[in-house]
Every structure is written in C-alpha cells, then in structure tokens.
C-alpha cells in the first residue's frame, strides 16, 4: 500500500523550507511504502506532493512517483490499483509508447489526453492527486467505494 501526501498554501514566506513538510510526511508514511519515496514541489513552493512506494505492478525505478505525464502537463501521486490498465492502454492509446509497465502512467496520460472523464473507464481502487501545470490547479479523486482513503 503506497502513501500520498501534500500541501497547498495561499502564501509562503521567503525563508520557507518547502521540503520540510514533505520530508515529515514521508517519514510518517514510511511504513506504507518501503520501496522508495519521492517529492515534487511547484515553482512557487505553494504546493508540494510526496509519495511512498510499495512496488507491486512495475517494480522498476522508472515507475517512481510523483510522476509527470510525457507532455509535461500533469503530475500525479497515486495510491491504488487499476485493474483494467492493460485494456485501457489498448483501447485509448493506439500509437502511444509508454515509459513504464504500470497503471499510474496509464492514469496520468489518460487524464491528460481525455480529461477527467477518462475516470469513467477506470476499474479499480484508488486515491490520487493530480496537478495541472498550465492551469495551476489540483484535482483530488478516490474510487466510488472509498477503499483507499483520501483526506483533505
């Protein structure tokens, strides 16, 4: 089971250590993801996300999170499992060359290409946060049954 965390501030002081809260979250979630961790910070330091990883589907380092979409428009931290990610690849991404063999990349690329309506095709359990670089917005989502918790 992975762990995701993050923060969003309206304003930060010049001397604000933006990585400090992320490091604390990673420390507190270390039992949820013993196979690695990662951090992401927005340019203005007003948003940050972190991830602790339990590598299950694609154990290679190329599947580390936070993960940015190939075109660079979106960043995601994801906890869960997409059962039908291989079928989604075949159905929605004919000529796309994926960098990983995991479900996270399918999710972030699907959101970038098709918008959040792509989630209507996703079968599984999850919670995630997506940052849109162009719009400077964050989208939070969890599966309909709430199997993976998401607190904000």
């Amino acid at each position: 089971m992975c762990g995701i965390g993050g923060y969003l501030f309206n304003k930060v002081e010049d001397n604000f250590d933006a990585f400090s809260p992320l490091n604390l979250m990673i420390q507190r979630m270390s039992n949820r993801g013993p196979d690695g961790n990662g951090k992401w910070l927005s340019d203005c330091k007003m948003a940050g996300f972190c991830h602790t990883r339990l590598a299950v589907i694609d154990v290679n380092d190329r599947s580390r999170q936070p993960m940015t979409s190939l075109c660079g428009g979106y960043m995601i931290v994801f906890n869960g499992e997409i059962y039908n990610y291989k079928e989604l690849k075949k159905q929605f991404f004919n000529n796309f060359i994926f960098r990983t063999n995991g479900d996270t990349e399918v999710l972030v690329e699907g959101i970038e290409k098709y918008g959040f309506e792509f989630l209507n095709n996703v079968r599984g359990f999850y919670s995630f946060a997506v940052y849109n670089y162009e719009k400077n917005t964050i989208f939070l989502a969890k599966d309909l049954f709430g199997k993976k918790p998401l607190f904000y």
Side-chain angles (χ1 to χ4, degrees):
M1 175 184 327
C2 298
I4 62 173
Y7 68 79
L8 179 63
F9 294 118
N10 290 329
K11 181 182 177 185
V12 295
E13 301 297 323
D14 290 336
N15 61 350
F16 174 62
D17 177 9
F19 285 109
S20 183
L22 297 175
N23 290 332
L24 181 59
M25 287 181 230
I26 286 172
Q27 181 184 15
R28 298 267 167 89
M29 296 186 304
S30 63
N31 64 321
R32 295 179 62 91
D35 298 326
N37 62 66
K39 297 174 268 197
W40 171 86
L41 192 60
S42 67
D43 292 337
C44 61
K45 299 182 182 180
M46 292 175 55
F49 291 100
C50 60
H51 183 267
T52 58
R53 184 172 185 217
L54 176 64
V56 176
I57 294 179
D58 185 352
V59 298
N60 194 297
D61 275 348
R62 66 184 172 223
S63 287
R64 289 181 54 134
Q65 295 182 45
M67 181 183 287
T68 302
S69 60
L70 187 63
C71 291
Y74 290 83
M75 183 284 310
I76 191 169
V77 286
F78 169 77
N79 177 24
E81 182 178 349
I82 306 301
Y83 302 136
N84 63 332
Y85 76 99
K86 290 180 181 178
E87 291 81 12
L88 293 171
K89 276 183 167 183
K90 291 176 186 173
Q91 184 178 355
F92 291 96
F93 299 97
N94 294 335
N95 299 317
F96 189 84
I97 298 173
F98 285 89
R99 299 168 288 172
T100 73
N101 294 319
D103 51 358
T104 304
E105 186 179 17
V106 174
L107 183 60
V108 72
E109 296 298 343
I111 291 169
E112 179 162 74
K113 186 172 181 179
Y114 299 103
F116 294 105
E117 295 78 27
F118 182 74
L119 294 176
N120 294 327
N121 303 290
V122 171
R123 303 292 170 253
F125 60 97
Y126 54 83
S127 64
F128 65 84
V130 173
Y131 178 80
N132 180 315
Y133 285 93
E134 182 181 329
K135 296 179 181 177
N136 193 31
T137 58
I138 297 169
F139 181 84
L140 303 174
K142 65 183 181 103
D143 63 274
L144 293 175
F145 298 106
K147 188 168 182 178
K148 291 293 179 187
L150 181 65
F151 302 99
Y152 63 96

